[in-house]
Amino acid sequence: MAYSEDHIALAAEYALGTLDAEERAQVETMMAVDSEFAALVQAWQFRLGPLNQMVGLVEPRPVVWHNIKAAIGPTSAPQAPLVLPETPATTVTPPPITDDPEFGSAFDPEPAQSPEPRRLPEARPPRVIFDERNVTALTGRVKRWRGIASAATAIAAALLITLGLQIYKPDALPNAIRPKPRIQTVEVKTPAPALTPSAQYVALLQGPNGGPAFIMTIDGATKNFTVRKVGAPSEPGKSFELWLISDKLPQPRSLGVIGADDFTARPVLSGYDPDVINGATYAVTVEQAGGSPNGQPTSAPIFTGKLIETVPGASGSPPR
């Protein structure tokens, strides 16, 4: 049968002797009607009995006995001892006496003895076996649990202190457990700058008879140029080559061979100053296939032209 914690505590207090008279009477009644509860009380008595034997005897003071006698009061006559009632004796009829052929006469019957009053067996207190090993094991368990509780308390206190330092004074902690500073990256998107239109320059390369043969376009920001073939007839085994002629240069500079396609793009003007680009004359000569062999014109220019600004820039400045 499973008992509640109150019943178990009541049995333990009964074994310790800390109950009052009414509670002890209640426990004894439960022990009389419930053998399992009586076994539970005896188990507590077996556990706690050695602890009671470990306590030394204390002799009460004489005044204690004097007070007890005064509380009981004087007795006028001594009390008679308690005697249990006698059990009535049963009369037994002896068998008839006959002569025995072997022994001669029969034995005389013994005189009847008066029955004695029966006495109940004396109640002996239960024997308590004191085992020091149980006390030692219990003491070891108590010490072990106390050590575990102390260690857990110390760990909790250390964690609490560490947490407080991490929140309020992180600089006081060692570098190994110091919290890393939080770095928050904020991405700021700046609007793209408005496109500033760059200046555009165009040169019509035409011959003496008039009419454009090539149209040359230069971007003022990148200095890249594009040459478009318009009306120049191609000659077999020959190539058209573009030249930059300026009074600021000692001799004409080749800008490359114009391809056979309608458009030819080159970035070679990036190495020239804006003044040279704006004031130069752009000319086309007929050279052998692949261009001039010595880097100089081998024939007179047949198409020439100068730059004019068709689209002004944001500041109106020439190509930089």
Side-chain angles (χ1 to χ4, degrees):
M1 178 178 179
Y3 294 98
S4 63
E5 295 183 358
D6 295 338
H7 286 81
I8 297 174
L10 193 65
E13 293 182 4
Y14 180 84
L16 288 174
T18 57
L19 300 178
D20 54 17
E22 183 179 357
E23 292 176 340
R24 290 187 65 85
Q26 179 183 358
V27 173
E28 291 173 355
T29 303
M30 294 176 62
M31 292 172 59
V33 299
D34 190 350
S35 59
E36 295 183 2
F37 185 77
L40 178 63
V41 174
Q42 290 181 359
W44 277 109
Q45 289 176 344
F46 177 75
R47 295 174 185 173
L48 302 177
L51 299 179
N52 188 25
Q53 294 181 3
M54 295 174 63
V55 180
L57 299 177
V58 178
E59 184 70 21
R61 295 178 298 171
V63 68
V64 176
W65 294 113
H66 179 73
N67 294 336
I68 293 175
K69 292 178 180 179
I72 294 175
T75 57
S76 58
Q79 297 180 355
L82 179 63
V83 179
L84 296 176
E86 297 181 357
T87 304
T90 58
T91 304
V92 179
T93 305
I97 302 173
T98 59
D99 293 338
D100 189 92
E102 181 178 359
F103 296 98
S105 62
F107 295 97
D108 295 333
E110 296 181 358
Q113 298 179 359
S114 60
E116 297 181 356
R118 297 182 180 180
R119 297 182 180 179
L120 295 176
E122 297 181 357
R124 296 182 180 180
R127 183 180 180 185
V128 179
I129 302 175
F130 177 72
D131 193 354
E132 294 183 356
R133 292 178 298 177
N134 296 334
V135 179
T136 304
L138 181 61
T139 305
R141 291 180 183 177
V142 172
K143 291 182 179 179
R144 181 168 63 254
W145 283 112
R146 286 180 179 176
I148 294 174
S150 301
T153 303
I155 293 174
L159 291 177
L160 184 61
I161 294 174
T162 304
L163 181 61
L165 291 176
Q166 286 181 351
I167 296 175
Y168 298 103
K169 291 185 178 181
D171 297 337
L173 295 173
N175 295 330
I177 60 176
R178 182 180 302 173
K180 296 181 179 180
R182 296 182 179 179
I183 300 176
Q184 185 176 5
T185 303
V186 179
E187 182 180 0
V188 179
K189 295 183 178 180
T190 57
L195 296 176
T196 303
S198 60
Q200 299 291 325
Y201 299 87
V202 176
L204 296 178
L205 306 182
Q206 54 191 358
N209 297 328
F214 298 94
I215 299 176
M216 180 180 180
T217 304
I218 299 178
D219 183 84
T222 62
K223 297 182 182 180
N224 295 336
F225 70 88
T226 303
V227 177
R228 179 182 181 183
K229 185 186 295 185
V230 179
S234 300
E235 298 182 12
K238 300 292 183 177
S239 297
F240 293 111
E241 189 169 354
L242 181 63
W243 301 89
L244 184 148
I245 302 173
S246 175
D247 55 359
K248 296 181 179 181
L249 299 176
Q251 54 189 2
R253 298 288 180 88
S254 175
L255 299 180
V257 176
I258 300 175
D261 298 333
D262 292 340
F263 292 92
T264 301
R266 294 284 188 274
V268 293
L269 288 176
S270 59
Y272 295 91
D273 294 335
D275 295 339
V276 175
I277 296 175
N278 289 340
T281 299
Y282 297 91
V284 177
T285 61
V286 179
E287 303 291 341
Q288 63 182 7
S292 173
N294 55 7
Q296 293 296 322
T298 59
S299 63
I302 58 175
F303 305 108
T304 59
K306 295 182 72 70
L307 291 178
I308 58 174
E309 185 176 12
T310 57
V311 179
S315 57
S317 59
R320 292 177 291 179

